[in-house]
């Protein structure tokens, strides 16, 4: 596999810009910025080392496929075990509102600046380069822990079956499998994620149907209704339970922001990204709220089979409910669903971690060797390094998978709150700079709803949550190990910021002077397909068949 130090591209600088556009798969490029451009073997644009090969339908489903992984089938049970069925619903709804405004901020920033690293690069540009450094590494190790958590989930899923392969053996087998698939390139990744996400969408809808059938007695013959909301109840563990479930909800919603990173590999980010943001958020919100709700009406929150920190193995709420209804082999079916769901979530975690590392390297905030890509835009070194660190999942050999699950959730959850808070801060400063430099808000390709109230909500809520997320360690006796995992992210973030600021002597950015031109990518112009003409020669939009409309409603 050939790796280029400067990926077979021609750099367009201010003194030598091509006046003739480059054409690649109905994308016209009129180069007027200083960054690397080229064309991949398949005809797609290579932009600063990465291939712009993602289409609108890929963007519609990538975040959904990457977020709704196998662990959500376990995690819904963990959520109701922590805070009860209604407590879990409240937590997921609050974090859902938080994510809505996070995505509004990202939509405005990433359509204006569809650059590598997205908010990582923009935080350094609009706040302080030291913030860009610390936020970038924070986001990278957030996704490395997500990779590890996915491998840990694989060992949990396959632990249901009695096999001669130990948990670490499954982790190593799937590590090698995903290492191979992640090196196939962005076009293959986009297609895999799309179709796997479609499959997962239908399995989730099937999960809704099964829950309804079990609850109403169509399966099992016993009507349940809201029995478990009366006994053992709707709320569990008070503020401690809410704190844990907020972190869990953040981890499951984490990844919606990955759409901003795909802007650097999208064929037409200004057109495709806003619609992908809108549709992806609502799909994910409905599915998460639906899964939590149905889990809470088919099993009691005090079931000993639900996944908690003390679990050596665990069952999903759907498996528990179906076994209670008389189907002893239900776990086999759920395991098949969960293991196939895992394929796309691991691939997505590797994608986000590696692209974050590439962006850091291109900005000089990580070793330059990680910025190198193949001639077709695959960052091999960043992918291999990030995935290899995912092997920290092997910690479950020394501890229970449930305990490792809790530790990784704590790190990833806190890192997510930090990232979302600084997305809001970056958005506030970007909008302020835009106005200070004489631009009109009407000129923005996408405007965030309820600005600035929604953005301030993001900043304040996430700063609050990052500190309250470890509240449980102070209840019933101080737990030193849990304290470290709950708050280590804050310590690392602060040390990275101060270290880079002192070493590089960075300064907070003057918004009247900040660069509002670089990264606009206004050279990317996608040519529309020719319209149909009527008998008089007048153009009219082509009629969309009904079955295409239904497919787009479900899958983008």
């Amino acid at each position: 596999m050939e790796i280029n130090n400067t990926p077979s591209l021609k750099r367009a600088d201010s003194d030598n810009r091509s006046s003739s556009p480059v054409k690649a798969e109905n994308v016209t490029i009129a180069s007027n910025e200083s960054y690397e451009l080229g064309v991949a073997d398949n005809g797609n644009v290579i932009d600063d080392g990465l291939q712009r090969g993602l289409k609108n339908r890929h963007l519609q489903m990538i975040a959904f496929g990457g977020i709704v992984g196998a662990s959500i089938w376990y995690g819904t049970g963990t959520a109701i075990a922590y805070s009860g069925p209604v407590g879990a619903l409240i937590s997921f709804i609050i974090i859902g509102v938080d994510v809505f405004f996070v995505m509004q901020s990202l939509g405005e920033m990433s359509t204006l600046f569809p650059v590598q690293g997205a908010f990582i690069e923009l935080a350094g540009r609009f706040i302080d380069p030291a913030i860009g450094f610390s936020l970038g590494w924070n986001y990278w190790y957030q996704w490395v822990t997500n990779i590890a958590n996915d491998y840990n989930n694989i060992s949990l899923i396959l632990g249901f079956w009695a096999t001669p392969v130990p948990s670490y053996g499954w982790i190593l087998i799937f590590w090698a499998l995903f290492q191979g698939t992640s090196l196939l390139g962005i076009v293959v990744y986009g297609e895999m994620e799309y179709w796997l996400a479609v499959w997962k969408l239908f399995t989730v809808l099937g999960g809704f149907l099964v829950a309804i059938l079990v609850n109403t007695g169509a399966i099992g013959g016993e009507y349940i209704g809201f029995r478990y909301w009366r006994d053992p109840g709707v709320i569990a563990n008070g503020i401690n339970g809410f704190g844990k479930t907020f972190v869990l909800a953040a981890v499951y919603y984490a990844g919606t922001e990955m759409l901003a990173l795909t802007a650097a590999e999208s064929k037409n980010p200004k057109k495709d990204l806003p619609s992908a943001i809108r549709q992806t958020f609502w799909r994910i919100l409905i599915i998460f709220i639906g899964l939590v709700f149905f889990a809470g009406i088919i099993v009691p929150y005090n079931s000993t089979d639900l996944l908690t920190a003390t679990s050596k193995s665990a069952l999903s709420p759907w498996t528990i409910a179906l076994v209670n209804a008389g189907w002893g082999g239900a776990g086999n079916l759920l395991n098949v669903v969960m293991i196939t769901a895992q394929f796309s979530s691991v691939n997505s975690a590797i994608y986000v971690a590696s692209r974050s590392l590439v962006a850091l390297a291109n900005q000089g905030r990580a070793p330059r060797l990680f910025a190198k890509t193949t001639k077709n835009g695959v960052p091999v070194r960043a992918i291999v390094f990030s995935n290899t660190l995912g092997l920290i999942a092997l910690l479950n050999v020394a501890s229970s998978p449930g305990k490792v699950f809790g530790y990784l959730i704590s790190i990833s959850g806190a890192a997510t709150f930090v990232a979302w808070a600084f997305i809001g801060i970056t958005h506030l400063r970007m909008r302020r700079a835009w106005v200070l430099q004489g631009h009109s808000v009407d000129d923005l390709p996408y405007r965030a709803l309820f600005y600035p109230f929604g953005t301030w909500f993001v900043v304040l809520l996430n700063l609050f949550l990052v500190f309250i997320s470890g509240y449980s360690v102070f209840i019933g006796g101080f737990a030193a190990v849990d304290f470290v995992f709950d708050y280590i992210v804050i310590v690392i973030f602060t040390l990275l910021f101060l270290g880079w600021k002192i070493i590089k002597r960075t300064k907070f950015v003057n918004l009247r002077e900040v660069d509002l031109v670089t990264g606009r990518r206004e050279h990317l112009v996608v040519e529309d397909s020719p319209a149909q003409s009527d008998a008089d020669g007048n153009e009219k939009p082509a009629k969309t068949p009904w079955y295409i409309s239904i497919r787009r409603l479900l899958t983008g």
Side-chain angles (χ1 to χ4, degrees):
M1 186 175 289
E2 180 185 354
I3 295 185
N4 302 340
N5 291 333
T6 52
S8 68
L9 310 170
K10 185 179 290 183
R11 176 170 292 279
D13 55 46
S14 56
D15 297 323
N16 186 25
R17 291 179 179 147
S18 173
S19 58
S20 59
V22 178
K23 295 193 72 174
E25 273 201 7
N26 81 318
V27 179
T28 301
I29 306 172
S31 183
N32 61 354
E33 293 183 43
S34 296
Y35 47 84
E36 297 170 340
L37 289 174
V39 179
D41 290 343
N42 59 9
N44 287 330
V45 177
I46 296 287
D47 188 347
D48 251 1
L50 298 179
Q51 183 182 152
R52 289 192 176 273
L54 294 177
K55 301 176 182 178
N56 182 40
R57 65 183 178 87
H58 296 145
L59 267 62
Q60 296 280 357
M61 299 301 284
I62 277 176
F64 170 79
I67 294 165
V68 183
S71 66
I72 190 63
W73 298 96
Y74 284 108
T76 50
T78 305
I80 63 174
Y82 280 160
S83 57
V86 172
L89 273 175
I90 292 171
S91 297
F92 271 77
I93 289 171
I94 291 174
I95 300 299
V97 174
D98 183 15
V99 172
F100 173 78
F101 288 118
V102 168
M103 296 307 292
Q104 289 298 308
S105 293
L106 283 174
E108 183 168 304
M109 292 190 293
S110 296
T111 50
L112 185 62
F113 300 105
V115 295
Q116 276 188 34
F119 55 89
I120 297 171
E121 192 276 335
L122 297 178
R125 185 189 303 194
F126 290 102
I127 304 174
D128 186 315
I131 289 292
F133 174 79
S134 53
L135 182 62
W137 283 105
N138 170 87
Y139 197 64
W140 173 77
Y141 63 66
Q142 170 190 332
W143 280 95
V144 168
T145 60
N146 283 342
I147 296 171
N149 201 21
D150 281 334
Y151 288 137
N152 183 61
N153 291 331
I154 288 173
S155 71
L156 268 172
I157 296 166
L158 296 176
F160 177 81
W161 288 309
T163 67
V165 181
S167 63
Y168 68 84
W170 287 121
I171 291 173
L172 292 174
I173 289 170
F174 278 87
W175 178 88
L177 171 66
F178 292 122
Q179 185 64 81
T181 59
S182 62
L183 295 174
L184 295 177
I186 191 63
V187 175
V188 175
Y189 165 76
E191 287 297 325
M192 286 177 59
E193 286 299 291
Y194 177 80
W195 291 110
L196 286 170
V198 170
W199 159 249
K200 281 199 282 192
L201 177 60
F202 284 107
T203 61
V204 169
L205 295 177
F208 289 177
L209 177 61
V210 168
I212 293 170
L213 295 176
V214 170
N215 184 266
T216 58
I219 296 178
E222 182 182 3
Y223 177 76
I224 298 173
F226 289 91
R227 177 194 310 168
Y228 299 132
W229 287 30
R230 295 187 296 271
D231 181 21
V234 295
I235 302 289
N237 302 314
I239 186 68
N240 182 23
F242 275 107
K244 289 182 176 180
T245 312
F246 276 135
V247 175
L248 189 66
V251 171
Y252 284 126
Y253 280 112
T256 46
E257 76 284 341
M258 79 167 66
L259 278 173
L261 294 178
T262 65
E265 293 176 87
S266 167
K267 288 189 173 184
N268 189 9
K270 292 185 186 300
K271 176 185 176 183
D272 295 341
L273 199 59
S275 63
I277 284 173
R278 286 190 295 267
Q279 295 189 36
T280 299
F281 169 77
W282 290 112
R283 285 195 191 108
I284 291 169
L285 179 68
I286 292 169
I287 283 171
F288 279 172
I289 298 302
L291 287 171
V292 172
F293 171 77
F294 285 119
I297 64 171
I298 59 176
V299 296
Y301 73 71
N302 58 359
S303 171
T304 56
D305 289 322
L306 295 174
L307 177 64
T308 62
T310 58
S311 303
K312 286 288 184 181
S313 62
L315 301 177
S316 120
W318 276 260
T319 302
I320 297 170
L322 287 171
V323 170
N324 290 341
W327 184 14
N332 295 305
L333 175 63
L334 264 293
N335 263 27
V336 172
V337 170
M338 288 189 288
I339 204 65
T340 53
Q342 202 62 47
F343 291 155
S344 65
S345 59
V346 178
N347 264 344
S348 289
I350 296 171
Y351 171 83
V352 178
S354 62
R355 270 44 175 195
S356 300
L357 189 56
V358 169
L360 285 167
N362 276 326
Q363 295 154 13
R365 296 166 186 160
R368 285 287 184 183
L369 63 93
F370 293 122
K372 297 175 183 178
T373 64
T374 67
K375 64 179 181 178
N376 288 318
V378 180
V380 174
R381 296 175 182 180
I383 289 172
V384 172
F385 182 68
S386 299
N387 190 36
T388 299
L389 290 184
L391 290 176
I392 58 177
L394 293 172
L395 286 171
N396 74 11
V397 175
S399 185
S400 69
K403 196 70 174 175
V404 173
F405 177 83
Y407 289 152
L408 294 175
I409 286 291
S410 295
I411 293 174
S412 184
T416 298
F417 291 141
V418 170
W420 288 350
F422 277 96
I423 286 172
I425 294 171
T426 304
H427 181 212
L428 289 169
R429 290 182 62 81
M430 187 212 79
R431 178 71 81 91
R432 179 66 175 157
W434 186 258
V435 173
L436 283 175
Q437 295 191 26
H439 297 280
S440 170
V441 174
D442 293 332
D443 294 334
L444 293 169
Y446 180 91
R447 282 183 288 169
L449 292 176
F450 305 115
Y451 180 90
F453 306 108
T455 309
W456 274 111
F457 176 80
V458 166
V459 174
L460 297 177
L461 178 64
N462 286 288
L463 290 177
F464 170 73
L465 290 175
V466 77
F467 286 103
I468 199 178
S469 61
Y471 175 82
S472 61
V473 303
F474 303 105
I475 299 175
F478 181 74
V481 174
D482 292 341
F483 176 81
V484 170
F485 278 100
D486 285 334
Y487 291 106
I488 189 66
V489 166
I490 300 175
V491 175
I492 293 174
F493 184 89
T494 304
L495 290 176
L496 288 173
F497 169 71
L498 293 176
W500 195 255
K501 191 164 186 64
I502 292 170
I503 293 171
K504 296 294 184 178
R505 300 175 185 246
T506 64
K507 296 180 180 179
F508 286 100
V509 174
N510 184 337
L511 296 181
R512 295 183 182 277
E513 300 173 358
V514 68
D515 180 7
L516 293 177
V517 176
T518 302
R520 295 277 289 277
R521 299 304 197 260
E522 292 178 345
H523 62 282
L524 289 173
V525 181
V526 176
E527 299 168 359
D528 295 328
S529 301
Q532 296 178 352
S533 299
D534 58 21
D536 298 325
N538 299 317
E539 289 188 352
K540 60 179 182 179
K543 185 178 180 180
T544 303
W546 64 269
Y547 55 88
I548 296 295
S549 300
I550 294 175
R551 193 205 71 181
R552 286 176 179 171
L553 178 65
L554 291 174
T555 64

